[in-house]
Amino acid sequence: MPQLEASPVIDFQSEGYKDAYSRINAIVIEGELEANDNYKQLAERLSEHKDDLLKLAKMENRHMKGFQACGRNLDVTPDMPFAKAFFSPLHDNFQTAWQEGKIVTCLLIQSLIIETFAIAAYNIYIPVADDFARKITEGVVKDEYLHLNFGEEWLKANFAEAKAELEAANRQNLPLVWKMLNQVETDAAVLGMEKDALVEDFMITYGEALANIGFNSREVMKLSAQGLAA
Ligand code: Y39
Ligand code: FE
Ligand code: FE
Ligand code: FE
């Protein structure tokens, strides 16, 4: 019987697929590794949430191991130097903010921007993943919503004092996400992940998070589209 909706058959063993996977898989592994570091750092300073944050850090470590297994399962060697360079602008901004004591900026970078990026990427990947990676990714994405929720709750509770810093940090960091997406657009498409779908999922999740924290709808629109056209 013909399929009603044409979904192209993906050859997970083709050289083209594996080449693109070596970069996307590396990005995800590096992202999980850095997320683990970031939550361990946050745990040092947000001492009243230390145990929660260490739990989130542990989850990130588990995610990393799951995605390493996805690469091994396809016989792909992740291109870690590419991934490290890919994350370095956000990584550097997190570390600079940390040194300056800007915890709100650190939370925006990790718990809002990077978590939302992960949620968009994993949601769009799940329907086009191989069976092994799909099961892993389904488990991971549930955790990422918990991580985003941690950031939302903290920032909501501290909204009045955090608002101006959030706006500045958003202006500095959100444009980096759109640049990162442009860098991997071609590889993502090889995996069956369309850029438009990634952008749409990102905007929805990020906008909802900003609204939950306390921004009004005009502010949400302005903040979540920052740097998109660039
Ligand atoms: O909190 C987390 O687990 C986030 C670190 C993981 C980052 C995932 C970054 C995904 C970007 C993939 C881009 C594919 C198009
Ligand atoms: Fe680091
Ligand atoms: Fe994760
Ligand atoms: Fe996470």
Side-chain angles (χ1 to χ4, degrees):
M1 221 178 100
Q3 284 182 302
L4 290 177
E5 287 192 35
S7 78
V9 176
I10 297 170
D11 179 359
F12 301 111
Q13 284 304 322
S14 71
E15 283 313 310
Y17 189 90
K18 285 167 64 164
D19 177 57
Y21 206 83
S22 72
R23 287 178 292 279
I24 302 283
N25 183 233
I27 285 170
V28 168
I29 292 167
E30 176 67 22
E32 298 292 355
L33 179 72
E34 294 194 15
N36 168 272
D37 279 348
N38 292 347
Y39 283 118
K40 281 194 289 198
Q41 265 182 280
L42 287 165
E44 285 172 30
R45 225 168 268 174
L46 295 176
S47 47
E48 72 278 27
H49 298 289
K50 187 174 175 204
D51 294 346
D52 286 341
L53 285 160
L54 291 176
K55 266 185 217 153
L56 304 194
K58 273 208 181 105
M59 291 185 211
E60 303 296 21
N61 191 51
R62 228 185 308 119
H63 298 169
M64 180 185 73
K65 289 184 176 151
F67 289 124
Q68 286 172 327
C70 294
R72 277 197 303 275
N73 180 55
L74 294 179
D75 246 316
V76 166
T77 305
D79 184 346
M80 298 312 296
F82 173 85
K84 217 175 156 59
F86 180 81
F87 271 108
S88 64
L90 278 183
H91 180 264
D92 293 351
N93 286 352
F94 183 99
Q95 292 308 328
T96 302
W98 177 263
Q99 275 148 25
E100 293 172 349
K102 291 181 169 168
I103 206 82
V104 167
T105 300
C106 291
L107 280 170
L108 175 120
I109 292 173
Q110 175 58 46
S111 297
L112 299 189
I113 288 188
I114 298 180
E115 297 297 350
T116 301
F117 199 15
I119 287 167
Y122 300 161
N123 278 338
I124 301 306
Y125 178 53
I126 285 168
V128 292
D130 64 85
D131 288 342
F132 181 87
R134 182 168 55 248
K135 284 185 197 98
I136 302 259
T137 310
E138 280 168 349
V140 169
V141 75
K142 290 194 190 109
D143 290 345
E144 307 304 2
Y145 283 103
L146 300 176
H147 303 174
L148 173 62
N149 188 253
F150 176 89
E152 282 175 8
E153 291 299 324
W154 195 94
L155 292 166
K156 182 180 176 176
N158 297 275
F159 185 62
E161 312 86 78
K163 192 177 180 201
E165 189 178 330
L166 280 172
E167 287 167 344
N170 182 80
R171 201 176 311 119
Q172 181 195 30
N173 292 286
L174 194 60
L176 296 175
V177 170
W178 307 127
K179 285 193 191 135
M180 290 163 85
L181 208 47
N182 288 339
Q183 279 178 56
V184 290
E185 177 182 0
T186 309
D187 287 332
V190 172
L191 270 53
M193 303 160 72
E194 294 302 334
K195 185 187 170 190
D196 287 357
L198 291 162
V199 171
E200 182 185 313
D201 200 283
F202 186 98
M203 295 279 267
I204 291 169
T205 302
Y206 195 66
E208 280 173 1
L210 294 172
N212 290 340
I213 290 166
F215 288 101
N216 68 37
S217 23
R218 179 174 292 272
E219 291 166 332
V220 168
M221 296 288 249
K222 210 181 155 197
L223 287 168
S224 53
Q226 190 97 53
L228 179 60

